Amino acid sequence: MGTLSPLGLLWGLLLLQDVLRPLRGDPVFIPPFIRMSSPEVSASLVGVSEDVTLSLTPLQVEKGVLPVPTCGGLSNETGDWNVTVSPGVNVLEVTVRWKRGLDLCSSKGTASSSEPPCIVQTLLVSASHNASCSAHLLIQVEIYPNTTVTHNASDNVTVSPNQAYQPLGPCPCDLTAKACDIRCCCDQDCLPEVRELFQQSCFPSVFGGDVNPPFHQRCAVGTTRETPDWFPFLCVQSPPSNSPFLGHFYHGAVSPRHDPAFEAHLHLDLRDFTDAAYKQGDPIMTTQGYFTVPQVSLAGQCLHGAPVAFLRNFDVKCTINLEVYQEQDGVVPERVKIHTAGGLVTPTVTYEEAADLDKLISSPGTLLNSGSAPKNVTVEGHYVFRWQNNSISGLDITIIRGEISAHQKGTMAQRFTVKFLSYNSGDEKESSGNPGYQLGKPVRALDANGMNVTALHLWQPAGRGLCDSAALRPILFGEDVLAGCLLEVGINENCTKLRENVLQRLDFLVQATHVARRGNSDYSDLSDGWLEVIRVAAPDAGADLPLSSANGICLEVPAQLTIRILIAEAGSVEGVAQQEILAVETRFSTVTWRYQCGLACEDKADLLPLSASVQFIKIPAQMPPPPTRFQINFTEYDCTRNELCWPQLLYPLTQYYQGEPRSQCVAKGLMLLCLLMLATLLSHPWIRVCKGSTPIHR
């Protein structure tokens, strides 16, 4: 089959355009014409429908003229070619492949641009819909010898040289293939007579082909360029192959040194404490590995695989996303066996159901599907270890869990506590210090009327921040806190009942009548350092106030509670300062509540903010220094009362002057003093004194 002449090919394209012109708006091939020089080509059929049929037809070219394309002989596979289709979004990816291989082309040896193509053919790919032609793709096949790799990869392997000594790009300025780039003296496409035209203007440095220039630290450079006098003493003796431009300064055998003192392992080897005693800080071991409880890292993240350390108490909270939360599979506390000196310890596990779980969930989402089975979530986990000497004698675990929907959204705070108690300790209350209070420990409280009250509390809102759903947390020693919640109030709320409701909620925070003076005061002995809480009387909730009968306005609502705690240092134990409480006072502050209306006052609940603050005041207070007798008697020298300030006459020489360094101020002051003394000695009275004291010799 002969090759197509350019004139015949042009007429064929024009004829093809005339045939496709009535089909505008129908599916089209992009591109509509391909010159194929490899065994595989692809094109896109755009704007297709679901029932489009593709066909492949070899065209018989006679005298260089293409025939009129038709949809006859529809087939997607002929003797030497096949068509595959990959569907997309309103697009079909059409691929045409040569099936027989390229053995005919590989027998001719090395390819040359003067050799004729070994495969010459014209193909027509047609797209039809309901037996009518919709689009055509014309492919002109011209495959030359050795245009494709026909041998095994092992027969013709391209070995890349070591870029450290022979770069892969030795001529970066050679930007045009098979053409001479002006001023690129390393371009092999430039003829010698052409290179002579710009020999004096070649690109310098690496871009011009000097990919391994001598770096200026080498000693050999000092003979070719100007160098400083100290260069021979600090230059580098190095061969030209070691260059920073090639990435290597030194290439040789390096043997790593094994130094176990600097080794760090991410996963430590498990220690066996079966026959060994624990010491403080050692991880507690089980038969399966470490005994782990979720803990908070220094970065604030919750680590679920953190081991529990011996004799290390902690109380942490971890926030979880309920939508993706899953209980740990296979972790059953009853099956845990703890290693200790003398044998194994089996924990005692108690399960409890959480009450009012909805109050603990923040930002709950709307449940779209509640048909799935519910899932369990751990709300709190309390671990109490009993220890004796250097071993563990028992473990009591209390798990408080709740049941939520499988599609529950929102966040919830889990609480985990670990305590180590002596084996012979009872159910006595935990102390907050011995004897003085420790920072961060709860303030111990007691109700003399017999109620089970052990601490003062503040609100810990959750969800919308309403008072009805707020939890309580203890007041910690030394931490100033401001907490609050929101109370729903209607427009027709009775002011007297509102005041009584607010007072009742605020009094619930401080139910105790006494507070422990020390951190280890005995609950059973009221005389063992227990201080009565000083309560400032709250305003009368039923007092007849002006405008109290107006709807939406209530005066003097006691919405703020202030707790002041006086503390002081009461000595030290082994050099550690011991702090104790001197007095506790509670006081109410009133506000005026007004119903907030929008465009119209509707009968909807408004929000009244309630707050409770805790302030620790250290006694004695830091009072300002008392005035001296000079400041009291000589008020004219007081700079704060007079425009003329004599104490600041030498202000630049005092420590309060910060305009210049201290050394410069002293130097300038000494120079000024020397000048004053010189002026005094050279003054007229001193000259007369010197002349009068000179003896007269006769």
Side-chain angles (χ1 to χ4, degrees):
M1 183 181 296
T3 59
L4 293 177
S5 63
L7 182 59
L9 182 60
L10 179 60
W11 280 104
L13 292 176
L14 294 177
L15 179 61
L16 185 60
Q17 291 180 357
D18 292 337
V19 174
L20 295 178
R21 186 175 294 113
L23 300 177
R24 291 178 179 174
D26 292 336
V28 295
F29 282 97
I30 298 177
F33 173 75
I34 298 177
R35 182 179 295 276
M36 183 176 179
S37 60
S38 61
E40 178 180 326
V41 292
S42 299
S44 299
L45 180 59
V46 183
V48 297
S49 59
E50 297 181 355
D51 53 350
V52 174
T53 304
L54 297 178
S55 64
L56 174 63
T57 305
L59 297 181
Q60 300 297 330
V61 181
E62 298 180 357
K63 298 181 181 180
V65 179
L66 294 175
V68 177
T70 61
C71 291
L74 296 178
S75 175
N76 62 353
E77 185 169 350
T78 58
D80 298 332
W81 305 89
N82 68 342
V83 180
T84 58
V85 180
S86 300
V89 181
N90 295 329
V91 177
L92 292 180
E93 188 73 20
V94 181
T95 304
V96 179
R97 293 185 180 89
W98 172 260
K99 296 169 52 180
R100 293 177 54 186
L102 299 176
D103 296 337
L104 298 176
C105 296
S106 62
S107 61
K108 295 183 180 181
T110 305
S112 176
S113 60
S114 61
E115 295 183 6
C118 61
I119 300 177
V120 178
Q121 200 169 359
T122 304
L123 304 177
L124 180 66
V125 181
S126 303
S128 62
H129 176 64
N130 295 331
S132 62
C133 294
S134 301
H136 297 281
L137 170 63
L138 185 63
I139 302 176
Q140 178 63 48
V141 182
E142 293 183 1
I143 301 179
Y144 289 85
N146 288 340
T147 57
T148 309
V149 178
T150 59
H151 303 283
N152 295 330
S154 60
D155 297 337
N156 187 14
V157 178
T158 301
V159 179
S160 299
N162 188 359
Q163 193 176 1
Y165 306 105
Q166 187 176 355
L168 296 177
C171 188
C173 60
D174 187 5
L175 304 178
T176 307
K178 298 181 180 181
C180 179
D181 292 276
I182 305 301
R183 297 184 60 190
C184 186
C185 295
C186 60
D187 193 349
Q188 300 300 324
D189 298 326
C190 297
L191 299 176
E193 56 270 15
V194 178
R195 190 180 292 109
E196 291 179 359
L197 299 177
F198 51 83
Q199 189 69 36
Q200 304 299 328
S201 303
C202 296
F203 290 113
S205 67
V206 178
F207 183 71
D210 189 9
V211 294
N212 190 13
F215 54 101
H216 62 274
Q217 293 92 349
R218 287 186 61 219
C219 296
V221 178
T223 60
T224 59
R225 63 179 64 181
E226 184 178 356
T227 56
D229 297 336
W230 47 262
F231 182 82
F233 300 98
L234 300 177
C235 61
V236 178
Q237 293 287 353
S238 176
S241 59
N242 292 330
S243 171
F245 298 97
L246 298 178
H248 286 180
F249 266 115
Y250 178 76
H251 182 74
V254 179
S255 60
R257 182 179 61 181
H258 181 74
D259 191 353
F262 293 95
E263 290 184 353
H265 299 279
L266 181 61
H267 300 285
L268 299 176
D269 296 335
L270 298 179
R271 298 178 58 187
D272 188 6
F273 291 95
T274 304
D275 298 326
Y278 288 102
K279 63 177 182 293
Q280 186 177 13
D282 286 341
I284 297 178
M285 302 298 302
T286 66
T287 56
Q288 303 296 328
Y290 292 127
F291 184 82
T292 60
V293 173
Q295 302 178 40
V296 178
S297 66
L298 295 178
Q301 298 177 346
C302 191
L303 305 178
H304 293 276
V308 177
F310 185 66
L311 296 182
R312 295 287 177 85
N313 300 340
F314 62 83
D315 186 347
V316 299
K317 291 185 178 180
C318 294
T319 302
I320 60 173
N321 187 358
L322 296 177
E323 189 174 3
V324 297
Y325 174 78
Q326 293 291 338
E327 288 283 347
Q328 296 183 4
D329 298 333
V331 179
V332 181
E334 295 89 342
R335 300 179 182 177
V336 175
K337 305 293 183 180
I338 296 179
H339 275 305
T340 186
L344 301 175
V345 174
T346 302
T348 303
V349 184
T350 304
Y351 290 96
E352 298 180 2
E353 294 295 328
D356 298 332
L357 187 60
D358 296 336
K359 297 181 180 181
L360 304 177
I361 300 176
S362 301
S363 304
T366 303
L367 297 180
L368 301 178
N369 184 10
S370 58
S372 303
K375 61 181 180 181
N376 292 326
V377 58
T378 301
V379 180
E380 295 183 8
H382 304 281
Y383 302 81
V384 179
F385 290 86
R386 299 283 179 174
W387 62 277
Q388 181 179 5
N389 296 328
N390 292 333
S391 62
I392 298 175
S393 60
L395 172 59
D396 297 329
I397 302 177
T398 303
I399 304 296
I400 302 177
R401 59 186 181 181
E403 192 176 87
I404 61 175
S405 173
H407 304 279
Q408 179 68 51
K409 297 183 179 180
T411 59
M412 187 186 70
Q414 294 178 312
R415 183 188 178 191
F416 298 94
T417 63
V418 171
K419 294 181 181 179
F420 285 86
L421 301 179
S422 178
Y423 74 101
N424 56 359
S425 61
D427 297 331
E428 60 270 8
K429 303 295 182 180
E430 182 182 2
S431 63
S432 297
N434 187 22
Y437 275 97
Q438 296 181 7
L439 293 178
K441 291 291 185 177
V443 175
R444 295 161 62 89
L446 173 67
D447 186 7
N449 299 325
M451 295 181 60
N452 186 17
V453 178
T454 59
L456 306 178
H457 296 91
L458 290 176
W459 286 303
Q460 187 174 1
R464 296 174 53 194
L466 299 178
C467 297
D468 295 334
S469 60
L472 299 178
R473 65 183 186 91
I475 296 177
L476 304 181
F477 183 83
E479 296 184 4
D480 295 343
V481 185
L482 174 61
C485 61
L486 300 176
L487 180 64
E488 293 183 332
V489 183
I491 188 173
N492 297 320
E493 187 78 20
N494 184 279
C495 293
T496 301
K497 293 183 178 180
L498 176 61
R499 299 188 191 98
E500 293 177 353
N501 186 16
V502 172
L503 279 176
Q504 183 180 0
R505 293 179 180 272
L506 294 177
D507 286 336
F508 184 76
L509 300 177
V510 188
Q511 301 183 55
T513 59
H514 293 76
V515 172
R517 184 185 186 95
R518 299 181 303 274
N520 62 347
S521 297
D522 188 5
Y523 277 96
S524 60
D525 187 3
L526 194 61
S527 62
D528 186 19
W530 290 93
L531 305 173
E532 186 175 359
V533 178
I534 303 174
R535 299 177 182 268
V536 178
D540 188 5
D544 188 11
L545 300 174
L547 299 178
S548 60
S549 60
N551 290 337
I553 300 177
C554 291
L555 302 179
E556 296 189 6
V557 178
Q560 298 175 358
L561 172 64
T562 303
I563 303 175
R564 295 186 177 93
I565 302 177
L566 304 182
I567 62 176
E569 292 187 3
S572 61
V573 176
E574 296 182 358
V576 179
Q578 303 296 314
Q579 301 188 53
E580 62 180 22
I581 295 177
L582 301 182
V584 177
E585 180 196 64
T586 62
R587 184 183 299 270
F588 295 92
S589 301
T590 60
V591 297
T592 299
W593 172 76
R594 289 183 176 85
Y595 186 85
Q596 302 295 329
C597 295
L599 298 177
C601 287
E602 301 178 358
D603 190 10
K604 294 183 179 180
D606 194 15
L607 297 178
L608 171 63
L610 306 182
S611 64
S613 62
V614 179
Q615 182 182 9
F616 286 85
I617 303 174
K618 192 170 184 178
I619 301 299
Q622 299 296 330
M623 301 298 294
T628 62
R629 183 181 301 176
F630 178 82
Q631 293 175 340
I632 297 175
N633 297 333
F634 301 93
T635 57
E636 64 272 12
Y637 296 101
D638 191 353
C639 295
T640 60
R641 301 183 182 182
N642 302 279
E643 296 181 358
L644 183 61
C645 184
W646 288 104
Q648 294 184 359
L649 178 62
L650 300 177
Y651 177 72
L653 301 179
T654 62
Q655 60 180 351
Y656 304 103
Y657 179 64
Q658 303 294 333
E660 293 177 327
R662 180 68 176 172
S663 58
Q664 294 185 11
C665 296
V666 174
K668 293 179 180 179
L670 293 177
M671 291 179 60
L672 180 61
L673 182 60
C674 293
L675 293 176
L676 291 176
M677 294 179 62
L678 182 60
T680 304
L681 294 175
L682 297 180
S683 61
H684 187 67
W686 279 100
I687 295 177
R688 294 180 59 183
V689 171
C690 292
K691 290 181 178 180
S693 60
T694 302
I696 300 175
H697 301 279
R698 295 182 179 179

